[in-house]
Amino acid sequence: MQKSILIIGACGQIGTELTIALREKYGNEAVIASDIREGSDALMASGPFELLDATDYEAIENVVMYYEIEEVYLMAAMLSATAEKFPMRAWNLNMNSLFNVLNLAKDKKIDKIFWPSSIAVFGPNTPKTETPQHTLMEPSTVYGISKQSGERWCEYYFKKFDVDVRSVRYPGLISWKTLPGGGTTDYAVEIFHKALEDKKYTCFLAEGTILPMMFMDDAIRATVSLMEANPEELSIRSSYNLGAMTFGPEEIASNIKAHLPEFEMSYDPDFRQAIADSWPSSIDDNQAKLDWNWKPEFDLEKTTKEMLKNLMN
């Protein structure tokens, strides 16, 4: 059956690739992209687009009614490093946009919501290795606080109003299609661009900073798989842990150096180091594997080859 899908924040790092993937799956006209500004030429040419402020309830409601939207993917957010510079703007965007779509679902104007959480919900007192699905969460960033609050509201709306909302805690994401958008794990994207352009890169995180990461293709596949899962099979309505690979800057540099021997890496940690130090080094995602058969396809070696191949073209 044809679905009618709205993506809010379609021009961001995840939203761009998610929009294209969903259009390939469900048809260009069935997936309405929206953002506060226009996106890439490829995205704009691939199907319908609406200029939309994620914090404007009436504007979202009008688009939902006009296109008879059934599912909303809310990808609009201010990410960790940027949010630390503009805390109240980040809180306003990250929380009010979520309330807007939760309330549309509560009022039965849409059927299903995807909302992304993040490993930023964890804090310095969370177990760092194989971080469990259910554990101590004391986030120390504005972004993490907003995502933890969002998780609680998602579960509340599910239990109180039977809202079908689904979520994953994304690790750091690596993509060659779009530039990073102000996150603490952005070094793992920047490094490939700088390796090809300058043959060197100065990392803003210290050597030995081990973080969970994921290639974008896996992240998109996980997102769509969760949204297609039988609701009866889902045991988590806050947000699922999601894992793929885990590494530090020196490991990704070593993998790049295997392809580009002249590449040199240096380190100059900035304020993002404290954020990274508060996050897990690896994730236990067994619940996602059990509930909806999650399984990553990309490790660091495969990701490195894919990034370099596509950025060289």
Side-chain angles (χ1 to χ4, degrees), residues 78-90 142 182 271-272:
M78 192 178 291
L79 301 184
S80 57
T82 308
E84 289 303 292
K85 298 174 184 176
F86 308 103
M88 292 317 298
R89 278 167 56 185
V142 175
F271 73 98
R272 287 168 283 196

Side-chain angles (χ1 to χ4, degrees), residues 6-268:
L6 173 64
I7 302 176
I8 301 173
C11 300
Q13 187 187 19
I14 308 173
T16 298
E17 298 193 41
L18 179 64
T19 301
I20 300 299
L22 289 172
R23 283 176 171 167
E24 287 174 357
K25 189 173 185 66
Y26 296 115
N28 290 348
E29 297 304 311
V31 180
I32 316 304
S34 73
D35 211 314
I36 201 161
R37 62 183 64 83
E38 292 188 353
S40 67
D41 292 344
L43 182 137
M44 297 302 293
S46 67
F49 179 85
E50 294 283 339
L51 282 173
L52 192 60
D53 180 348
T55 63
D56 187 337
Y57 177 86
E58 285 189 13
I60 297 171
E61 184 183 35
N62 288 340
V63 170
V64 164
M65 295 295 104
Y66 180 80
Y67 288 99
E68 299 179 348
I69 297 295
E70 297 163 74
E71 298 183 5
V72 171
Y73 290 72
L74 175 58
M75 311 310 292
M78 192 178 291
L79 301 184
S80 57
T82 308
E84 289 303 292
K85 298 174 184 176
F86 308 103
M88 292 317 298
R89 278 167 56 185
W91 177 259
N92 180 50
L93 170 60
N94 296 357
M95 295 310 301
N96 290 345
S97 60
L98 176 58
F99 281 125
N100 287 341
V101 295
L102 287 173
N103 286 326
L104 284 168
K106 176 173 75 79
D107 295 338
K108 309 302 180 191
K109 292 174 180 174
I110 53 177
D111 299 331
K112 195 188 295 186
I113 297 165
F114 177 82
W115 173 80
S117 189
S118 162
I119 58 169
V121 296
F122 303 120
N125 298 317
T126 301
K128 290 188 82 70
T129 305
E130 289 297 300
T131 301
Q133 174 67 49
H134 301 286
T135 188
L136 182 68
M137 292 159 58
E138 295 177 341
S140 55
T141 64
V142 175
Y143 180 62
I145 292 165
S146 70
K147 288 299 183 183
Q148 186 197 27
S149 301
E151 287 190 15
R152 304 270 49 84
W153 281 111
C154 285
E155 189 167 69
Y156 180 85
Y157 269 72
F158 169 72
K159 290 179 174 176
K160 188 87 171 177
F161 305 116
D162 198 29
V163 167
D164 189 353
V165 56
R166 307 175 183 203
S167 177
V168 295
R169 293 170 179 153
Y170 287 127
L173 298 178
I174 304 173
S175 167
W176 57 269
K177 291 182 182 175
T178 49
L179 291 170
T184 300
T185 55
D186 285 353
Y187 85 87
V189 179
E190 290 177 359
I191 190 172
F192 289 100
H193 291 271
K194 293 295 183 183
L196 291 169
E197 291 167 13
D198 304 332
K199 305 293 185 284
K200 60 183 179 181
Y201 178 62
T202 302
C203 185
F204 57 73
L205 296 183
E207 189 172 359
T209 306
I210 311 296
L211 290 169
M213 307 291 283
M214 181 175 286
F215 189 56
M216 185 65 81
D217 287 24
D218 272 344
I220 300 300
R221 199 166 46 78
T223 302
V224 176
S225 297
L226 175 58
M227 285 295 274
E228 291 183 335
N230 183 340
E232 306 299 321
E233 304 289 321
L234 303 180
S235 63
I236 304 294
R237 291 300 186 145
S238 52
S239 192
Y240 279 94
N241 273 5
L242 197 66
M245 52 185 152
T246 184
F247 57 80
E250 68 280 7
E251 293 170 79
I252 196 169
S254 176
N255 269 264
I256 291 172
K257 206 169 175 63
H259 299 271
L260 304 169
E262 66 274 35
F263 175 65
E264 295 295 332
M265 178 84 140
S266 57
Y267 300 88
D268 184 18

Side-chain angles (χ1 to χ4, degrees), residues 272-290:
R272 287 168 283 196
Q273 184 64 46
I275 299 174
D277 287 343
S278 74
W279 289 355
S281 59
S282 59
I283 296 291
D284 177 351
D285 59 359
N286 278 321
Q287 202 62 54
K289 292 171 180 172
L290 283 170

